Amino acid sequence: MRTRITGGRVFDPANGIADEVRDILIEGGRIIADAPRAAGEEVVDASGAIVLAGGIDLHSHIAGGKVNLGRLLMNEDRTLYPEPLGDFCGCGGGRAAPTTHATGCRYSQMGYTAVFEPAVVGANARHAHLEMADIPNIDTGGFLVLGNDDFLLRLIAQGEGQQAVNDYVAWMLKATQCCAIKIVNPGGINAFKFNGRALDLDETGPFYGLTPRRILNTLQRAVTELGVPHPIHLHGCNLGVPGNVKTTLATIGATEGFPLHLTHIQFHSYGTEGDRHFSSGSAEIAEAVNANPHISVDVGQIMFGQTVTASADLMSQYRNHGIADPKKWIGMDIEMDAACGVVPFNYRDTSFVNALQWAIGLELFLLIEDPWRVYLTTDHPNGGPFTSYPHLIRLLMDKPFRDDHLSRIHKAARAHTRLAEISREYTLDEIAVVTRAAPARTLGLKDRGHLGPGARADVVLYVEQPDREAMFAAPRLVLKDGQVVVRNGEIVALTQGRTYALHPPSDPLMDKRLERWFDEAVGLKAKHYQIADGEIRGGEGPELVELNP
């Protein structure tokens, strides 16, 4: 059966369409080329509505070990924020650490249809996939965390060569059914295990004698040579440390021409100017991003209120655990692999530091010129819950609204930001880029993030409103693969999503080598570590992302 969405104002930047009234024709779960009306078509009148592709969140912690630890630590979260609206939702809730069911429902209610977990530790990958399969109405994928795992560090330290690293990365991607590579504080998590408390870009780490720069460059080359569409997704050195703007700029300069994605860049854009020795480095970072077209970023915007921070960067989380709010935290070592720290936090507009962090994130959004290289995130839940996206969108699109909020933050923070001087307001077309088209492009998802023929029929209708927060908080209609799942902000159906993965080829000799490594060092059979296709999404298997040639 065909469905025709007619009369809506279409914004489809991937296909060069901006505010055009045109029909969207759907058949078999995909968008097809427009054709004359036929008998039996279902017609959806979208007059007065804005029509966008389904939203794609490039970076949101939605599943896996640290997410579950966050739920455990913040059990009061589900009491304060019960389940989403609708007859189909009755499995708990939560805001900072929502249940899997609530995660899918709340994303759907905002018009999102795909979300990517950006930090899957290999040892927890099977659990992460089981959780992602339990999230309704959204497609998912995971980014595998490498850069502190012992096998990789040994390969590099012993000079085994780039091909051996490439084969290992390929083996790990397939074994964990992930679709990109994430580095968290390269070498720093491992250094913490040897009692290190900081590790800068060109500082030699303990035991393996490697610098973060060398680890980063080696993995950058690996993903490029393997054809992984998304560049290295980097959580850099010195997260949250005043003065880390210098490290971030040095990291941009260290890429050797390889593409690089800098994640939650707001947390890496701090200077030391002023009597409080904490200042914004956003102008310098934006200038560097603007000048380097091979660099992309997501912001990790701070949003005021209670949340919980969860990160594999135990070095950073240990440093911050003393300011936990409420006063509780969890830290754990994942042997031979990575680590994890979970620290609750309440961002306040009356705090100088928190208020300036909020302003720094907005400065970055507004000063980085190319919307195709900056993606809308809060690093959920680290900067704030993903449910705050509609509010963030209004801050970007509505300068008077932004200025009103700026007037209410800590007075000293206002004096340390140039936010009031920035007149830029995001357009609807730019919002469609940063929340749809750009994330799809960087992940290599050719049938996502647009409304052209062949695309997945993930379509959202928003009622045009001057209040952009209200507009983006409750879509009139959300279609997932052509099926209506949200109507007027309420869940009306639940559907199973898909999992995206990459299976690059690797030398069979790496299989034998890793079998020995798992037997001798890990204490787990490699065949038990590897996730079979039949284990993904109830036996449906993953949808493979096409490798770059």
Side-chain angles (χ1 to χ4, degrees):
M1 177 178 172
R2 285 186 180 180
T3 299
R4 182 182 299 272
I5 300 172
T6 187
R9 295 166 54 198
V10 176
F11 288 81
D12 184 13
N15 290 305
I17 297 168
D19 203 1
E20 294 184 17
V21 176
R22 57 168 57 206
D23 289 358
I24 302 293
L25 198 58
I26 297 169
E27 188 172 55
R30 290 188 181 270
I31 295 171
I32 62 174
D34 197 15
R37 293 202 180 190
E41 280 185 354
E42 178 187 6
V43 177
V44 176
D45 184 0
S47 299
I50 303 297
V51 183
L52 303 179
I56 301 172
D57 194 343
L58 181 80
H59 185 110
S60 180
H61 297 285
I62 55 172
K66 65 182 174 299
V67 174
N68 257 330
L69 289 174
R71 295 183 185 120
L72 176 68
L73 197 66
M74 300 294 290
N75 60 309
E76 62 269 40
D77 185 49
R78 287 180 297 283
T79 302
L80 293 171
Y81 301 96
E83 70 273 3
L85 300 174
D87 295 337
F88 290 87
C89 301
C91 300
R95 180 173 178 268
T99 62
T100 53
H101 189 89
T103 295
C105 291
R106 289 200 163 104
Y107 264 114
S108 291
Q109 287 173 306
M110 299 189 303
Y112 277 76
T113 56
V115 183
F116 290 82
E117 164 54 58
V120 175
V121 176
N124 290 337
R126 181 173 277 103
H127 168 226
H129 281 294
L130 287 169
E131 282 204 276
M132 286 190 282
D134 198 49
I135 299 175
N137 292 356
I138 60 172
D139 299 335
T140 58
F143 302 168
L144 173 66
V145 174
L146 296 179
N148 287 278
D149 42 316
D150 285 74
F151 191 88
L152 173 70
L153 298 182
R154 288 172 189 270
L155 283 179
I156 301 173
Q158 294 170 5
E160 303 245 1
Q162 188 65 46
Q163 188 57 51
V165 172
N166 294 2
D167 288 331
Y168 171 67
V169 172
W171 190 96
M172 287 291 291
L173 276 169
K174 185 174 182 180
T176 59
Q177 300 282 5
C178 286
C179 63
I181 296 297
K182 167 80 170 290
I183 307 178
V184 178
N185 191 1
I189 300 171
N190 194 273
F192 184 82
K193 299 177 185 184
F194 293 92
N195 210 33
R197 292 297 179 262
L199 191 67
D200 210 345
L201 182 66
D202 291 306
E203 184 178 354
T204 301
F207 192 74
Y208 294 104
L210 299 174
T211 65
R213 181 192 293 260
R214 187 174 174 191
I215 297 167
L216 169 61
N217 290 157
T218 302
L219 285 173
Q220 282 183 289
R221 183 176 293 276
V223 300
T224 301
E225 293 180 357
L226 288 170
V228 176
H230 187 52
I232 285 292
H233 198 87
L234 177 67
H235 163 141
C237 309
N238 297 327
L239 177 139
V241 177
N244 63 13
V245 62
K246 295 180 180 178
T247 302
T248 305
L249 293 171
T251 301
I252 293 173
T255 56
E256 298 183 354
F258 290 110
L260 179 65
H261 179 84
L262 297 168
T263 195
H264 42 64
I265 191 71
Q266 179 276 138
F267 288 105
H268 301 269
S269 302
Y270 304 154
T272 56
E273 296 177 6
D275 55 0
R276 298 172 187 256
H277 305 293
F278 183 75
S279 60
S280 171
S282 61
E284 297 165 87
I285 298 298
E287 182 180 4
V289 173
N290 291 336
N292 289 277
H294 62 293
I295 300 294
S296 62
V297 304
D298 62 78
V299 171
Q301 176 66 38
I302 287 293
M303 305 300 282
F304 298 123
Q306 180 68 57
T307 192
V308 59
T309 66
S311 175
D313 191 351
L314 184 54
M315 178 182 280
S316 172
Q317 294 294 74
Y318 178 80
R319 185 173 59 244
N320 292 333
H321 79 275
I323 54 175
D325 184 3
K327 295 291 184 183
K328 51 184 177 179
W329 79 292
I330 296 172
M332 64 178 294
D333 170 35
I334 303 170
E335 188 177 356
M336 313 295 289
D337 211 339
C340 174
V342 181
V343 180
F345 204 81
N346 193 349
Y347 294 105
R348 294 180 169 86
D349 59 6
T350 54
S351 159
F352 169 78
V353 171
N354 297 166
L356 192 52
Q357 288 176 304
W358 174 86
I360 290 169
L362 293 174
E363 288 173 340
L364 288 163
F365 270 118
L366 297 165
L367 293 173
I368 294 174
E369 296 166 355
D370 183 1
W372 287 90
R373 293 190 291 119
V374 55
Y375 312 121
L376 190 141
T377 69
T378 59
D379 185 22
H380 166 84
N382 292 300
F386 65 79
T387 49
S388 61
Y389 286 177
H391 182 72
L392 174 55
I393 289 172
R394 186 174 181 189
L395 288 169
L396 295 175
M397 297 188 73
D398 187 339
K399 178 170 169 55
F401 180 75
R402 186 166 70 232
D403 288 345
D404 177 63
H405 281 264
L406 178 62
S407 71
R408 289 186 262 137
I409 67 170
H410 192 284
K411 184 177 180 180
R414 294 201 303 271
H416 283 74
T417 175
R418 56 174 294 189
L419 191 57
E421 305 167 19
I422 304 175
S423 61
R424 180 182 176 187
E425 295 178 323
Y426 269 55
T427 65
L428 279 170
D429 195 58
E430 288 175 323
I431 292 297
V433 171
V434 300
T435 61
R436 271 98 173 152
R441 186 173 75 173
T442 191
L443 291 170
L445 307 179
K446 296 180 180 178
D447 61 356
R448 305 302 302 266
H450 69 95
L451 297 171
R456 297 279 179 186
D458 293 356
V459 187
V460 188
L461 276 62
Y462 295 100
V463 178
E464 172 78 8
Q465 299 181 57
D467 182 343
R468 299 305 193 184
E469 182 173 355
M471 172 180 164
F472 281 97
R476 174 180 152 193
L477 210 64
V478 179
L479 285 77
K480 179 75 186 75
D481 295 318
Q483 178 184 352
V484 176
V485 294
V486 173
R487 192 183 303 275
N488 297 323
E490 288 200 5
I491 303 292
V492 297
L494 299 177
T495 186
Q496 176 77 37
R498 60 185 57 79
T499 297
Y500 287 99
L502 279 172
H503 289 179
S506 61
D507 190 325
L509 291 176
M510 185 55 68
D511 293 351
K512 299 298 182 184
R513 185 166 183 181
L514 282 166
E515 285 173 9
R516 292 194 300 272
W517 168 259
F518 274 85
D519 284 344
E520 297 169 2
V522 181
L524 171 73
K525 293 290 185 183
K527 65 181 180 181
H528 296 151
Y529 182 92
Q530 294 169 289
I531 303 171
D533 289 354
E535 296 181 70
I536 299 296
R537 294 282 181 180
E540 292 184 5
E543 181 156 326
L544 297 184
V545 179
E546 184 179 337
L547 293 167
N548 289 333

